[in-house]
Amino acid sequence: MNKCKLAVIQMNIVDDKIKNLETLSNFLNKVVEDKVDIAILPEMFCCPYITHKFPLYAEHEGDATFTYLSKLAKLHNIYLVAGSIPELDENNKVYNTSYVFDRSGNMIGKHRKIHLFDMKIGDKVIQESKTISAGDKVTTFETEFGKFGLCICYDLRFPEIFNMMVNEGAKAIIVPAAFNMKTGPAHWELLFKSRAVDNQVYTIGCAPSRNLDDKYVSYGNSIVVSPWGDILNRLDGNEGYFICDIDFNYVDKIREEFPFIKHKKDKLYK
């Protein structure tokens, strides 16, 4: 089985974890009617994208939100790529972490955002490193359809980790992300197309919806791009979701017809 059906969910995020989890549950009740295999959530889907609030929302792996997500995956018999949430480790460091659950609710993947967004955009200063620690591992996970890669938002700008995920066998790469209204219009589509074509993979971006009253305004525009660089589906800034089929046989076809991955000289690039 090489084809799978994705649900990409672009949620409106509020400053209330319980309400965000209720929103998620309502969306899942809708998308499973289409017999989806994988549901994908946005970056920081359970809390506002305000860096100083991340520690207030943070939980340890295995705590209430983690358990709730696991139960939802099992209840609906789906893979759940749970966007990201603030995670506390045993030393109470905070990470921007994405968990992946299989159809039985078992965690089969975990990615801690590697590259932290420290940036001055106009008069706005964003400094994730003040509250978040950086992950140090490239992440892939197996399904019955094939292998997926997983990274978070700013990680998208670093082609080296995409090459590493592909070298580990990834044929689709999922990116929960929250680009803003300056970087989004300029680079969102460009980067998802570039990473797809550079690596002959599907790229899948899932963002929070746009709320102009938020302190950090997400660009939205959740997207799926094919290994040939075609946009297969895309939202605007509004809350919603789409269902999209991807076919790993098509990845193989593209790579056979245009085998530049085989022509890469990774030893030279190092």
Side-chain angles (χ1 to χ4, degrees):
M1 184 186 299
N2 292 295
K3 292 182 180 180
C4 71
K5 184 176 286 191
L6 307 173
V8 178
I9 299 172
Q10 186 164 287
M11 294 170 48
N12 182 42
I13 311 300
V14 297
D15 198 355
D16 185 323
K17 185 184 294 184
I18 299 301
K19 287 184 178 179
N20 292 326
L21 293 177
E22 288 174 352
T23 298
L24 163 61
S25 182
N26 291 335
F27 267 115
L28 290 182
N29 287 335
K30 293 176 184 177
V31 302
V32 295
E33 292 177 1
D34 287 300
K35 298 182 179 179
V36 300
D37 299 298
I38 302 175
I40 301 168
L41 311 181
E43 182 181 20
M44 291 297 178
F45 70 90
C46 70
C47 69
Y49 202 94
I50 301 170
T51 54
H52 73 264
K53 290 198 172 187
F54 294 164
L56 304 178
Y57 277 81
E59 297 181 25
H60 293 95
E61 182 180 317
D63 283 353
T65 300
F66 179 97
T67 302
Y68 184 70
L69 296 168
S70 171
K71 288 179 178 177
L72 285 175
K74 184 176 182 179
L75 172 67
H76 294 300
N77 190 32
I78 57 171
Y79 290 92
L80 182 60
V81 181
S84 75
I85 66 174
E87 177 215 357
L88 279 174
D89 74 358
E90 63 276 5
N91 299 312
N92 288 325
K93 289 184 178 179
V94 180
Y95 294 88
N96 184 342
T97 300
S98 181
Y99 297 111
V100 184
F101 302 92
D102 68 11
R103 297 181 190 273
S104 299
N106 300 310
M107 188 183 78
I108 58 168
K110 175 181 177 178
H111 181 74
R112 288 172 167 170
K113 187 175 184 179
I114 298 170
H115 304 93
L116 302 183
F117 192 65
D118 288 356
M119 204 68 57
K120 186 177 185 296
I121 300 172
D123 59 351
K124 290 187 177 180
V125 176
I126 302 168
Q127 196 169 1
E128 287 186 338
S129 63
K130 274 192 172 182
T131 53
I132 292 177
S133 296
D136 59 2
K137 292 182 174 62
V138 170
T139 305
T140 60
F141 63 92
E142 289 278 6
T143 71
E144 67 259 37
F145 312 103
K147 185 173 281 190
F148 286 79
L150 176 64
C151 62
I152 298 173
C153 200
Y154 194 40
D155 291 339
L156 177 65
R157 292 184 180 272
F158 298 85
E160 294 85 355
I161 67 168
F162 277 72
N163 187 54
M164 293 170 71
M165 287 186 276
V166 170
N167 286 344
E168 290 184 13
K171 295 184 179 178
I173 296 176
I174 297 169
V175 191
F179 277 35
N180 59 51
M181 291 303 295
K182 185 174 181 68
T183 61
H187 300 147
W188 179 265
E189 179 180 317
L190 173 67
L191 286 166
F192 277 98
K193 282 188 167 185
S194 297
R195 296 294 90 82
V197 173
D198 284 350
N199 297 282
Q200 297 180 311
V201 293
Y202 289 97
T203 53
I204 303 148
C206 186
S209 64
R210 187 182 310 162
N211 183 349
L212 298 178
D213 294 326
D214 286 344
K215 289 185 178 179
Y216 181 94
V217 180
S218 169
Y219 179 56
N221 280 268
S222 296
I223 192 170
V224 174
V225 179
S226 82
W228 191 247
D230 298 316
I231 295 176
L232 302 183
N233 218 320
R234 182 174 181 169
L235 296 173
D236 54 17
N238 295 320
E239 185 176 48
Y241 70 92
F242 62 74
I243 308 294
C244 185
D245 293 322
I246 66 172
D247 183 357
F248 282 9
N249 285 333
Y250 181 63
V251 177
D252 296 335
K253 179 176 182 291
I254 292 294
R255 291 179 178 182
E256 287 170 8
E257 292 178 349
F258 189 22
F260 79 82
I261 285 181
K262 292 181 180 178
H263 301 155
K264 285 186 174 182
K265 300 182 185 293
D266 285 335
K267 290 183 181 179
L268 173 65
Y269 308 148
K270 291 177 181 178

